Amino acid sequence: MTFKEELVAEIETMTEAQIAELLMMVKNMKTKKAKPPQRPGSGKSILRHAGKWQGDDLKDCLQAVYDSRGVAEF
């Protein structure tokens, strides 16, 4: 059975409301334009707002980062 035949068979069992919703989804799918791929950020935008480090707790802050990080799960 082809995908088209399977789809028609499924549509046969649907209510009119479900078919109307499906039709809207199909029309939306056909008109949706492909989004251009996003490139990863360079970090430049945030660096514009960052100033020079002021304070004497850099080592403490860095140690806090090391202490609080964990293994990433994907």
Side-chain angles (χ1 to χ4, degrees):
M1 186 180 271
T2 67
F3 290 126
K4 187 175 182 178
E5 291 169 339
E6 276 189 73
L7 185 57
V8 170
E10 288 294 326
I11 291 172
E12 295 287 335
T13 65
M14 296 172 73
T15 65
E16 284 296 316
Q18 290 173 324
I19 293 171
E21 187 176 348
L22 179 63
L23 179 60
M24 297 213 14
M25 289 171 46
V26 170
K27 286 183 177 182
N28 185 35
M29 194 182 303
K30 286 175 64 175
T31 60
K32 189 184 290 184
K33 294 182 181 177
K35 293 181 182 177
Q38 292 184 343
R39 58 188 175 113
S42 65
K44 289 181 182 178
S45 60
I46 197 156
L47 289 177
R48 284 183 290 183
H49 304 287
K52 293 183 179 182
W53 181 263
Q54 295 178 349
D56 58 356
D57 61 342
L58 178 61
K59 289 182 182 178
D60 295 334
C61 290
L62 187 58
Q63 189 60 47
V65 170
Y66 289 143
D67 293 341
S68 63
R69 67 183 179 176
V71 178
E73 295 180 22
F74 297 97

